[in-house]
Amino acid sequence: MTDKPEERVNLAMTREGFEGLMNQITNFHHFYGPKPIYDSPEARSRCKYIKYVRPNWDMRDGRCFSIRFDPCGKEFHSGYGETVPLYDQIVEWLNSSRENTP
């Protein structure tokens, strides 16, 4: 990373990334209806049961810079000190086992 604003890497999530993330949550990590997550024990072990997705958008560049998932209360940020893009952080968490989730 650099201290020059014009050279900083934007780790925030784009609108397209958010839409892809919502599709993944709708298909594999939601509270209602028939779910493909029940197809295998391995898939069930990753299901996070997300009811609310609370993104924070920066209207200057139209990117999501932080997001919270409830009822689990898991939060992700793309601000100071982060080196992994927000989208990648969330996808890694969604694909991890529930037992490994704090």
Side-chain angles (χ1 to χ4, degrees):
M1 296 275 285
T2 178
D3 289 331
K4 297 178 182 176
E6 65 276 4
E7 294 179 12
R8 286 189 191 134
V9 176
N10 194 337
L11 301 176
M13 190 178 346
T14 63
R15 182 177 307 151
E16 295 79 17
F18 182 76
E19 290 170 6
L21 191 66
M22 290 304 297
N23 285 332
Q24 184 174 356
I25 290 168
T26 300
N27 291 331
F28 302 107
H29 304 280
H30 61 85
F31 264 75
Y32 61 90
K35 304 173 192 168
I37 59 168
Y38 295 125
D39 291 346
S40 73
E42 192 267 331
R44 283 192 300 274
S45 74
R46 291 192 322 257
C47 180
K48 302 299 188 288
Y49 301 115
I50 296 167
K51 187 173 183 182
Y52 302 106
V53 177
R54 303 174 192 277
N56 290 303
W57 297 91
D58 187 332
M59 296 310 293
R60 295 171 294 179
D61 62 5
R63 289 176 174 250
C64 175
F65 64 90
S66 72
I67 194 165
R68 177 184 168 101
F69 299 97
D70 289 320
C72 63
K74 187 73 174 168
E75 290 187 56
F76 296 91
H77 306 276
S78 64
Y80 182 78
E82 292 294 337
T83 57
V84 178
L86 183 62
Y87 179 85
D88 294 344
Q89 293 178 49
I90 297 168
V91 168
E92 180 180 346
W93 172 68
L94 289 174
N95 291 327
S96 69
S97 172
R98 273 196 318 252
E99 288 79 34
N100 297 335
T101 303

